[in-house]
């Protein structure tokens, strides 16, 4: 089992080929074959199994629960087809926890082909500082000015958390950063840069053989759409409440 995990994880695997007492039916050749001992290296798989994923925010996300949905594009590089029956996964981006998947499924794919999974429930991390930090990282990667976002975060009384991201030079700030500022456009433009790291454990059947596979893949493209805008009112509500409360207190004093 570890051999399969290492192979799909792009790790070269050392294999030992050894003879035994039934290696050869020809008696005169048996001593040579049963004493056989060869060490070979199986090169790890150099291609990725996951080509991309798509994220959809639901109307119920962060209202009734933290569930959004993802679909995954899988590239089966093997001759044999297989069926995935259980998925357990954790998803991060720039060191920030985005969510987890734990679900039964029925995802079949034939050999040497590509397929898209049915929608999978992603239990998202609804922590405003984490979501704002991710947006800031993606903003810098997209070459956008982070100043409007910085202002919103400060207004809400939040602080960015630690993330892993490449150094980037912020765009020069305007004198009035909110003139012409379009928050939905800003967020959608930033999230076009979204990639994630996935740690995956699946139960699958290859032909008649059932097994578990542990797999990690970095920097997977996550495609988003305008459903991201459904998150914005949820994040904005506590900020608006804070502004209103402070305004009332200021007026009272």
């Amino acid at each position: 089992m570890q051999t399969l995990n290492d192979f799909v994880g792009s790790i070269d695997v050392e294999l030992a080929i050894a003879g035994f007492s039934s290696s050869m039916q020809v008696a005169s050749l048996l001593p040579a074959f049963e004493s056989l001992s060869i060490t070979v290296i199986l090169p790890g798989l150099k291609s990725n199994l996951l080509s991309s994923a798509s994220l959809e925010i639901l109307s119920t996300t962060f209202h009734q629960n933290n569930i959004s949905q993802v679909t995954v594009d899988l590239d089966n590089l093997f001759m044999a087809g297989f069926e995935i029956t259980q998925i357990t996964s954790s998803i991060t981006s720039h060191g920030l926890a985005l969510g987890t998947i734990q679900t039964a499924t029925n995802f079949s794919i034939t050999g040497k082909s590509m397929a898209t999974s049915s929608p999978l429930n992603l239990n998202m991390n609804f922590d405003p500082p984490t979501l704002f930090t991710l947006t800031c990282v993606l903003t810098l990667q997209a070459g956008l000015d982070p100043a409007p976002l910085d202002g919103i975060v400060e207004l809400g009384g939040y602080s960015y958390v630690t993330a892993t991201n490449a150094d980037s030079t912020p765009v020069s700030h305007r004198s009035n950063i909110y003139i012409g500022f379009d928050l939905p456009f800003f967020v959608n433009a930033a999230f076009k840069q979204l990639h994630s790291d996935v740690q995956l454990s699946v139960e699958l059947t290859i032909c008649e053989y059932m097994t578990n596979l542990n797999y990690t893949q970095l920097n997977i493209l996550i495609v988003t759409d305008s459903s991201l805008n459904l998150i914005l009112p949820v994040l904005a509500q506590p900020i608006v409440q804070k502004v209103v409360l402070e305004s009332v207190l200021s007026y009272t004093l």
Side-chain angles (χ1 to χ4, degrees):
M1 191 58 244
Q2 188 59 45
T3 297
L4 178 60
N5 289 335
D6 289 344
F7 173 72
V8 298
S10 302
I11 299 174
D12 294 346
V13 181
E14 182 177 292
L15 301 177
I17 302 175
F20 67 109
S21 59
S22 299
S23 290
M24 173 56 65
Q25 299 301 315
V26 179
S28 60
L29 297 178
L30 179 59
F33 275 86
E34 68 178 353
S35 62
L36 187 67
S37 179
I38 301 174
T39 299
V40 296
I41 300 298
L42 174 65
L45 187 66
K46 303 307 179 186
S47 300
N48 292 325
L49 296 180
L50 305 177
S51 56
S52 65
S54 298
L55 170 67
E56 180 183 5
I57 305 300
L58 307 177
S59 60
T60 54
T61 305
F62 300 150
H63 291 281
Q64 298 179 11
N65 51 48
N66 291 349
I67 300 299
S68 62
Q69 289 191 328
V70 295
T71 56
V72 178
D73 296 327
L74 179 64
D75 187 3
N76 182 9
L77 305 171
F78 306 106
M79 295 298 296
F82 57 82
E83 179 184 7
I84 298 174
T85 55
Q86 179 73 33
I87 298 176
T88 302
S89 178
S90 61
I91 298 96
T92 61
S93 181
H94 298 279
L96 303 169
L98 299 187
T100 60
I101 296 173
Q102 186 166 2
T103 184
T105 187
N106 184 19
F107 181 19
S108 297
I109 182 170
T110 57
K112 305 294 287 186
S113 67
M114 300 184 66
T116 301
S117 72
S118 58
L120 305 170
N121 286 343
L122 171 66
N123 188 5
M124 291 186 66
N125 176 18
F126 180 50
D127 174 55
T130 298
L131 294 177
F132 281 126
T133 300
L134 177 61
T135 305
C136 182
V137 172
L138 299 178
T139 295
L140 293 172
Q141 288 189 334
L144 301 172
D145 185 352
L149 180 65
D150 294 342
I152 293 171
V153 171
E154 182 179 1
L155 184 63
Y158 296 118
S159 297
Y160 292 127
V161 299
T162 302
T164 57
N165 63 291
D167 293 336
S168 183
T169 303
V171 180
S172 298
H173 297 168
R174 302 186 300 273
S175 58
N176 190 331
I177 59 177
Y178 294 107
I179 291 179
F181 179 67
D182 184 333
L183 181 59
F185 176 83
F186 179 88
V187 170
N188 280 275
F191 270 78
K192 291 185 184 299
Q193 305 299 316
L194 181 61
H195 290 71
S196 72
D197 301 334
V198 174
Q199 290 185 324
L200 184 67
S201 177
V202 298
E203 296 178 11
L204 54 84
T205 301
I206 305 175
C207 298
E208 302 297 323
Y209 180 62
M210 298 179 62
T211 187
N212 295 323
L213 174 65
N214 297 315
Y215 180 66
T216 298
Q217 186 174 321
L218 307 180
N219 201 36
I220 301 171
L221 172 65
I222 308 297
V223 179
T224 58
D225 58 21
S226 60
S227 67
L228 279 175
N229 298 338
L230 296 174
I231 296 179
L232 301 182
V234 183
L235 291 175
Q237 182 177 3
I239 297 176
V240 173
Q241 289 175 339
K242 181 175 183 292
V243 171
V244 171
L245 178 60
E246 291 181 351
S247 299
V248 171
L249 289 175
S250 176
Y251 176 79
T252 303
L253 295 175

